[in-house]
Amino acid sequence: MQLTVCSAQEAERFSPTRPTFAVRIFYPLTTDPVLRTYEVPLARSYHWTGISEYRFDERGNGLDREVALSMLADFDKYGSQSEQVLVHCLLGRNRSQAVGRFLVEARPDFFSERERSALTKFRDYSRKVYRILMNSVKPRKRKPSIRG
């Protein structure tokens, strides 16, 4: 599967030519008219296998375990039908790079070796978002019970 990470403007112009799953990342609901202008629909195409939208910022506000697990469930559902996954946020740098990296590392069997090795190009990813996502899918450790 090919991973494409881009900005909202690039995503708006993107028209898939093969089965593609889109992960759209917006800021938490805001009344800021500038941020709202980037919430435009993607191009109409029968190649979209699914489009999922999430709302969180680069500091992880709005992101929790439930959102991370939902993201993986959506990826599992639509990724199996897709040849490509498009991940975008406003600028295509912090949040989308973190999510792209998370998807490749959490579901490595979906991606080619070339895609997995290309993660090094994601230098601007939000480490906080990435850490929240990865910690959300790790098995929880149980505290040993003390019986006396």
Side-chain angles (χ1 to χ4, degrees), residues 21-119:
F21 169 52
V23 177
R24 307 188 74 194
I25 306 161
F26 299 116
Y27 280 101
L29 285 175
T30 178
T31 56
D32 185 333
V34 174
L35 292 179
R36 299 291 289 183
T37 61
Y38 289 99
E39 295 185 21
V40 297
L42 296 175
R44 295 174 66 87
S45 172
Y46 65 89
H47 289 293
W48 294 118
T49 56
I51 299 172
S52 294
E53 298 179 354
Y54 306 95
R55 293 187 173 278
F56 55 89
D57 66 22
E58 51 280 318
R59 292 183 305 272
N61 296 321
L63 180 60
D64 58 17
R65 180 178 170 81
E66 185 177 318
V67 172
L69 293 176
S70 174
M71 193 178 292
L72 276 185
D74 289 346
F75 182 79
D76 290 343
K77 179 179 179 181
Y78 300 114
S80 62
Q81 309 164 31
S82 305
E83 296 175 21
Q84 182 173 17
V85 61
L86 170 79
V87 181
H88 88 80
C89 63
L90 182 60
L91 298 176
R93 293 175 55 187
N94 298 356
R95 294 171 293 160
S96 57
Q97 286 187 13
V99 169
R101 187 177 195 102
F102 164 68
L103 292 175
V104 171
E105 292 185 8
R107 296 294 188 260
D109 295 342
F110 279 89
F111 297 92
S112 68
E113 177 60 36
R114 194 184 102 214
E115 292 296 322
R116 290 191 303 269
S117 64
L119 291 179

